[in-house]
Amino acid sequence: MTDERLKELLRGAISPPDAEERRRDLWPQMAARLEERPRWSYIDLGLAAAAAVALAVFPEWLWLLAYHL
Amino acid sequence: MQDEPDRELLRRFTHGDRDAFEALFRQFEREVYRWILRIVRESAAAEDALIEAFWRAYRGRARFDSSRSFGAWMRRIATNVAIDQLKAHRRHKWSPLDDEAQIPAGSMTRRGGRAGQGPDSFELADQIHRAFVSLPPKLQVVATLALIEELPLAEIADALDIPPGTVKSRLFRATRDLRTQLTRVGLHT
């Protein structure tokens, strides 16, 4: 199968984009996204919990943490 | 590509000025939307990706070098968002494509009926579509831009922020994988 034949097959099988233009003003949605409070991810929560537990078990690590902050 | 915004607007954007960001959004949204649409090929998915791309740009504004092209920077971000969207949709396993409505939003929609001649052309288009969407997203995006959209490799390389040689090798792997899959389903033409 040549490259040209492959291109032809792909163009025949894959739809062209369904709308070249946006159907509405997207700025309100963008502005709402900017207003959203930053959400904590599971990784953030996990790290915070691990740090809290580590400090509870080894309080002397507080100095180490303070040094790195 | 769109005219570059003035330096002062870009400086205000990098300092977090919302009005500057809105001005940039309004200036570039059309171009960015069209770019994403070329990759994801579905308007609702492209709109979501557009918001995500500008959101990432706003969050990463401090990293923007205002001596460089804002349009090119935005296009790279948009390309990454589009690839992430292809990856996310790849994780959705959908049942056989007997029903067009079962194709998840944002996936490449099949056209059907034009891929070949003869009574089974719809089935052929379906097989080609399946082979195409089964490509890893990084290969799929290169194949879309190079084979379907016929963009120059240098432009694809810039959008993906990779060397042209890497685009070539991804394109080679994409076409090889497509040929292998299509041969497997009995398409040797």
Side-chain angles (χ1 to χ4, degrees):
Chain A
M1 188 189 301
T2 64
D3 282 354
E4 283 310 309
R5 176 65 179 143
L6 185 61
K7 279 184 190 178
E8 189 189 317
L9 288 171
L10 287 176
R11 281 193 223 113
I14 307 294
S15 301
D18 60 354
E20 279 292 313
E21 298 300 331
R22 286 130 11 266
R23 285 172 291 206
R24 59 201 166 97
D25 179 12
L26 293 173
W27 175 252
Q29 203 179 327
M30 184 76 253
R33 182 84 185 265
L34 294 177
E35 295 301 325
E36 272 178 19
R37 288 181 164 213
R39 280 169 293 190
W40 285 60
S41 71
Y42 288 119
I43 295 172
D44 295 334
L45 291 171
L47 284 173
V53 169
L55 286 177
V57 177
F58 306 103
E60 66 276 14
W61 285 8
L62 181 64
W63 299 112
L64 189 68
L65 184 68
Y67 176 76
H68 284 288
L69 291 176
Chain B
M1 198 175 281
Q2 191 88 32
D3 288 342
E4 276 301 302
D6 67 61
R7 286 279 181 94
E8 175 56 19
L9 186 65
L10 291 173
R11 190 196 62 76
R12 283 168 46 212
F13 161 69
T14 57
H15 286 83
D17 182 326
R18 287 274 180 96
D19 291 338
F21 179 56
E22 182 177 355
L24 290 169
F25 180 88
R26 295 207 181 275
Q27 187 178 339
F28 284 89
E29 64 170 324
R30 188 163 184 252
E31 181 189 323
V32 173
Y33 172 81
R34 285 182 164 189
W35 178 257
I36 294 170
L37 193 61
R38 291 174 109 166
I39 299 170
V40 302
R41 307 187 89 73
E42 203 263 325
S43 56
E47 288 183 358
D48 289 346
L50 175 87
I51 299 289
E52 177 64 24
F54 274 97
W55 167 240
R56 286 189 195 179
Y58 188 73
R59 267 193 327 188
R61 62 191 181 274
R63 290 192 298 275
F64 173 65
D65 176 357
S66 56
S67 66
R68 300 185 70 187
S69 161
F70 181 81
W73 184 65
M74 232 13 265
R75 185 177 273 199
R76 283 187 203 119
I77 295 173
T79 308
N80 285 329
V81 171
I83 292 172
D84 287 348
Q85 205 168 55
L86 294 178
K87 283 179 188 165
H89 286 117
R90 224 175 119 80
R91 284 194 287 270
H92 287 112
K93 296 287 180 195
W94 63 87
S95 52
L97 298 171
D98 293 333
D99 179 0
E100 189 80 43
Q102 290 180 5
I103 300 173
S107 67
M108 296 263 179
T109 50
R110 68 186 161 158
R111 173 180 267 171
R114 285 191 49 194
Q117 289 78 40
D120 58 348
S121 60
F122 189 82
E123 192 186 334
L124 175 61
D126 190 27
Q127 285 169 340
I128 296 164
H129 175 268
R130 282 165 179 274
F132 194 72
V133 296
S134 71
L135 289 174
K138 282 184 176 178
L139 301 189
Q140 191 183 322
V141 75
V142 169
T144 304
L145 296 173
L147 301 176
I148 299 173
E149 296 292 330
E150 294 194 287
L151 295 181
L153 294 187
E155 191 176 343
I156 301 170
D158 190 46
L160 289 165
D161 204 13
I162 55 177
T166 308
V167 176
K168 268 189 191 169
S169 74
R170 286 185 190 177
L171 186 58
F172 172 78
R173 283 160 54 205
T175 51
R176 183 196 59 196
D177 290 1
L178 281 169
R179 280 199 183 97
T180 306
Q181 290 203 49
L182 294 177
T183 304
R184 200 177 293 151
V185 296
L187 189 68
H188 302 282
T189 48

